[in-house]
Each structure stands twice: as C-alpha cells, then as structure tokens.
Amino acid sequence: MHVMTLLKADMFDVEIDGKPASIAQALPDWNPHDRFGLVIDDALGGIGATHLLQIAITAFYDVKPSRRTELTVYPEIYAFHIGKGYGAHAP
C-alpha cells in the first residue's frame, strides 16, 4: 500500500486554536501547484510536524484526485534546516 491510497482527510482530527477544524482550514486555498516545507531549527524539530506533513500529503492528493491513480505523481516536500546542520544530509 502507498500513502496515496492510504491517507484520507477523514482520518484526521484537525484543531485550530483548540477548536475543531478541517484540513482546508489548516491549509487555506491549497491548490494543485502548492508545495509544503518544514523549517527545522533543532535536532528533533521535524518530529512534531509529522501529522501536519501527513495532512499536506493528503491535501496534495485531494486537490487533484487523479494523482491517486498516477503512480508517478508524488508531493514535493521540503525540510529547511536552519541554525546548525540537522538531518541525514547535514555536514
């Protein structure tokens, strides 16, 4: 199985300021050309954003459902490490 078939919007409970919300509210005006990036400023900083990353992947496929059937289409996800070198490609 692949995330493009496994991740669905109804699998997530989204909250904004402690109130129920939707992925569309968390990522307003998401469109087929959007990309997602994390800014990481400490050694384990990306860990706390894993669910946010998953809803961005879900939004990527939901905004253009044909992506779920095209095995060669993957979301572009970026991690920006600031401050020190963190991650597998850091010096």
Side-chain angles (χ1 to χ4, degrees), residues 63-76:
V63 75
K64 189 175 179 186
S66 64
R67 290 175 171 167
R68 290 190 183 272
T69 58
E70 298 169 1
L71 292 176
T72 58
V73 180
Y74 297 99
E76 292 180 36

Side-chain angles (χ1 to χ4, degrees), residues 33-40 53 75-81:
H33 303 291
D34 281 333
R35 303 298 179 260
F36 187 78
L38 299 171
V39 177
I40 301 168
L53 176 62
E76 292 180 36
I77 300 165
Y78 302 93
F80 302 97
H81 300 274

Side-chain angles (χ1 to χ4, degrees), residues 10-22:
D10 63 358
M11 298 172 71
F12 298 94
D13 292 326
V14 178
E15 289 184 6
I16 298 175
D17 294 328
K19 298 176 186 156
S22 66

